[in-house]
Amino acid sequence: MQHSEEILIIDFGSQYTQLIARRVREINVFSVITPHTISIEEIKKRKPKGIILSGGPLSVYDEGAPSIDSEIFDLNIPLLGICYGLQLICSKLGGKVEPADDREYGKASLHREENSLLLKNVLEYSYVWMSHGDLVTNIPENFCVTASSDHTSFCAIENQKKKIFGVQFHPEVNHTEEGKKIIHNFVYDICGCSAKWNSSNFISTTVKEIKAKTGNKNVICALSGGVDSTVAAVLVQKAIGDALTCIHIDNGLMRKHESKKIMKMFNESLHLNVKCIDAVDLFLNRLAGVSEPEQKRKIIGNTFIEVFESEALKIENAEFLVQGTLYPDVIESVSVKGKSATIKTHHNVGGLPEKMNLKLIEPFRELFKDEVRKVGKDLNIPAEFIERHPFPGPGLAVRVIGEVTRKRLSILREADNIFIKEIKNAGIYNDIWQAFAVLLPVQSVGVMGDSRTYENVMTLRAVTSTDGMTADWFRFDSEFLADVSNKIINKVKGINRVVYDISSKPPSTIEWE
């Protein structure tokens, strides 16, 4: 979809590139990320109001380092270079970049030195976040220095006439105190954008597009019960009404009473046309004896496709399939080198569209998770549902470490239900990005009454995050953990030990499998 105004973010491999896009969207301007391999012709075609060059892990003088056509500086489009982006501007326009004697990582003090369009109303002294091993040692002709730090003389530069700006620090991260102000100055004052990007405008535009695309054909949607697929279904229904048929497959890998609860919401609150398919026996029989995580995922994915295809073929005149693909999934499918990579298997419905000759409707392929939640709220989906923690595509199969059996699933469900219920009772559910229990393939000795026990170990996991790309473990009060542990051991038969996971991502992942 081409937007009336957008900020184009050219990615050179920074871990913060998605964060730049989110910061621009937070101030109601659409942003799009593209690999550095984008051509000048494509940039001209997109007609962005501004361009941001991201950071990156390489040095501009490395052999094979990502670069860009110098013609970009003559397009008369405002341009902001961040970290590697600043160094690229300098190396391309006659400045000099060299390895730094003192590499700068983490917090640094920024000194704003003179009047600047980019740093307008920024405090004279503020903290910024650095992450670089190279330094600009000479700036291009007709540029002026607008800020410095203890180790970096050229911390911010600009050429107001050509509207080219560069900063050595990362304004997109929270650690940069005045970062949001700097991005606002660039997007509004320098690029001249207006606040046109919001969930209400998105809904009205997307509804029109879906109506035009589908015509009088039927549409099917695989409704897992997750936030993305549910919001997508409600949005598509708003566009085409009864022409949408949703299929919910109960695979036996959901949380306690989950299929029953979400079917009630689908029918009574959202009034969706949903068929519920009981495939519990099929899934669990195929998972019997399987312990390897990727094999479990493949069995679940293939079985899902088989069941879904069988049901979808019963719907006449169906030509479209709704998927809740998000923007990070799209970004992850293209590397910094511009080569295609495979989108994670659990993010989409495998090879189903090609197999059944279906055309895709992916209304959220330009949205981040938090933006989908906003759309859901505007569509009057209950807040309790919209604010739910993420749930993995393969469900509890990746939280039962080792073989998946009915008994082990039952133990996990009961413990997970107690954990989540206590979090909600404590009023901290929305402070946590994701919380869940994991059943380990480990047994330990315990004592209950006068008897010796030899039972299972349950791990509790809770993290804070903004997008799941990085995460830190949540700091529960010790009394809370003691109470939850006590409840799980007393109420869940088969558990005699509870542990809490205090690993961050990286180096660990959020899920265990």
Side-chain angles (χ1 to χ4, degrees):
M1 187 196 304
Q2 184 67 52
H3 296 264
S4 59
E5 56 177 36
E6 70 178 29
I7 298 295
L8 182 69
I9 299 162
I10 300 179
D11 181 24
F12 293 95
S14 171
Q15 60 180 318
Y16 301 130
T17 301
Q18 288 194 32
L19 202 49
I20 302 170
R22 291 166 69 89
R23 292 291 176 255
V24 174
R25 293 187 185 193
E26 282 169 6
I27 55 175
N28 300 116
V29 174
F30 183 72
S31 59
V32 64
I33 297 170
T34 177
H36 73 90
T37 48
I38 187 172
S39 66
I40 292 297
E41 289 69 31
E42 177 63 22
I43 294 173
K44 288 177 180 175
K45 186 177 165 188
R46 294 197 72 94
K47 297 179 181 174
K49 296 281 282 186
I51 298 170
I52 297 177
L53 308 181
S54 84
L58 300 178
S59 297
V60 291
Y61 46 77
D62 283 347
E63 188 177 340
S67 189
I68 199 160
D69 192 322
S70 295
E71 192 183 336
I72 196 170
F73 303 114
D74 299 317
L75 296 177
N76 200 30
I77 299 171
L79 190 146
L80 170 62
I82 294 173
C83 197
Y84 184 91
L86 161 76
Q87 294 166 11
L88 196 60
I89 289 169
C90 290
S91 66
K92 285 280 187 182
L93 295 179
K96 194 171 184 183
V97 179
E98 297 180 278
D101 293 330
D102 296 309
R103 297 189 300 172
E104 264 189 311
Y105 292 99
K107 196 176 278 191
S109 181
L110 181 78
H111 175 213
R112 180 178 52 77
E113 296 186 351
E114 59 178 73
N115 289 334
S116 159
L117 289 179
L118 186 66
L119 305 181
K120 186 181 78 174
N121 297 327
V122 167
L123 295 171
E124 186 179 356
Y125 290 94
S126 64
Y127 285 114
V128 296
W129 189 257
M130 295 284 194
S131 180
H132 64 100
D134 296 327
L135 277 182
V136 173
T137 54
N138 193 17
I139 62 173
E141 195 176 343
N142 299 320
F143 278 76
C144 65
V145 180
T146 56
S148 61
S149 72
D150 293 340
H151 296 285
T152 310
S153 299
F154 308 117
C155 211
I157 65 171
E158 59 189 64
N159 180 332
Q160 294 189 11
K161 188 176 179 184
K162 295 206 77 170
K163 295 183 183 174
I164 301 174
F165 304 80
V167 293
Q168 185 58 74
F169 55 91
H170 289 272
E172 68 273 24
V173 303
N174 284 328
H175 303 293
T176 296
E177 289 181 323
E178 299 278 66
K180 290 179 182 176
K181 195 180 290 182
I182 292 167
I183 290 171
H184 188 281
N185 287 345
F186 179 72
V187 170
Y188 283 98
D189 297 349
I190 294 167
C191 299
C193 291
S194 52
K196 293 180 179 177
W197 171 253
N198 57 57
S199 53
S200 298
N201 289 346
F202 171 83
I203 290 169
S204 58
T205 302
T206 308
V207 163
K208 286 176 193 169
E209 288 177 352
I210 293 169
K211 277 181 181 174
K213 184 175 183 177
T214 58
N216 61 351
K217 302 297 182 183
N218 286 329
V219 179
I220 52 179
C221 175
L223 200 50
S224 67
V227 173
D228 305 330
S229 65
T230 303
V231 178
V234 173
L235 180 64
V236 172
Q237 185 196 47
K238 186 178 176 69
I240 61 173
D242 291 340
L244 172 68
T245 301
C246 299
I247 298 171
H248 173 70
I249 298 170
D250 183 356
N251 57 13
L253 303 170
M254 307 285 273
R255 286 167 288 205
K256 189 174 181 180
H257 303 317
E258 186 154 25
S259 279
K260 200 178 288 182
K261 287 177 187 171
I262 58 178
M263 280 301 296
K264 185 178 181 184
M265 185 191 70
F266 293 156
N267 290 321
E268 295 179 9
S269 298
L270 304 180
H271 308 294
L272 290 168
N273 175 23
V274 189
K275 294 172 70 177
C276 184
I277 310 303
D278 183 348
V280 174
D281 290 343
L282 179 63
F283 276 86
L284 297 189
N285 288 341
R286 289 186 178 178
L287 287 168
V290 179
S291 295
E292 203 277 318
E294 195 54 33
Q295 196 180 349
K296 286 197 274 189
R297 287 177 181 271
K298 283 177 182 171
I299 289 169
I300 293 163
N302 291 337
T303 306
F304 177 86
I305 289 172
E306 183 184 316
V307 175
F308 187 84
E309 181 185 20
S310 171
E311 293 301 320
L313 287 171
K314 298 173 187 175
I315 300 166
E316 294 181 8
N317 200 28
E319 285 194 10
F320 296 89
L321 173 69
V322 179
Q323 285 193 173
T325 310
L326 300 186
Y327 194 39
D329 306 333
V330 176
I331 296 166
E332 284 173 14
S333 70
V334 180
S335 72
V336 71
K337 301 292 183 189
K339 296 174 183 173
S340 292
T342 305
I343 295 176
K344 294 174 187 174
T345 52
H346 62 275
H347 280 309
N348 52 48
V349 191
L352 199 61
E354 296 84 1
K355 192 174 181 184
M356 295 183 64
N357 200 25
L358 295 169
K359 297 167 194 162
L360 278 177
I361 296 175
E362 298 176 300
F364 303 144
R365 64 180 287 110
E366 292 184 337
L367 300 193
F368 290 102
K369 188 84 173 187
D370 56 329
E371 293 172 322
V372 173
R373 292 189 200 276
K374 285 178 189 171
V375 170
K377 284 176 182 172
D378 281 357
L379 289 170
N380 297 316
I381 297 173
E384 185 184 359
F385 181 83
I386 288 298
E387 290 160 2
R388 294 172 87 204
H389 293 172
F391 189 63
L396 297 182
V398 293
R399 293 177 181 173
V400 170
I401 309 302
E403 186 183 0
V404 179
T405 66
R406 289 176 191 269
K407 183 179 178 182
R408 300 189 78 213
L409 282 166
S410 178
I411 290 171
L412 176 60
R413 276 195 193 96
E414 294 302 323
D416 186 78
N417 188 54
I418 290 169
F419 185 34
I420 300 303
K421 194 176 282 185
E422 291 305 310
I423 286 173
K424 288 180 176 176
N425 289 343
I428 54 176
Y429 185 81
N430 290 338
D431 297 332
I432 298 168
W433 195 75
Q434 192 173 15
F436 53 92
V438 179
L439 181 62
L440 302 186
V442 173
Q443 290 183 304
S444 71
V445 175
V447 178
M448 289 189 179
D450 295 322
S451 304
R452 175 185 182 276
T453 62
Y454 191 59
E455 293 181 334
N456 296 282
V457 179
M458 186 69 68
T459 295
L460 305 181
R461 178 84 159 132
V463 298
T464 56
S465 181
T466 53
D467 50 21
M469 295 180 69
T470 60
D472 194 14
W473 59 281
F474 184 78
R475 271 68 171 172
F476 285 112
D477 179 86
S478 58
E479 288 301 314
F480 174 89
L481 286 174
D483 186 49
V484 169
S485 172
N486 192 45
K487 281 190 167 85
I488 289 173
I489 291 170
N490 285 333
K491 294 183 177 183
V492 184
K493 192 175 179 184
I495 300 292
N496 69 356
R497 191 176 300 271
V498 173
V499 297
Y500 183 52
D501 181 350
I502 58 168
S503 313
S504 59
K505 178 187 178 181
S508 302
T509 53
I510 296 175
E511 297 284 350
W512 277 52
E513 285 191 345

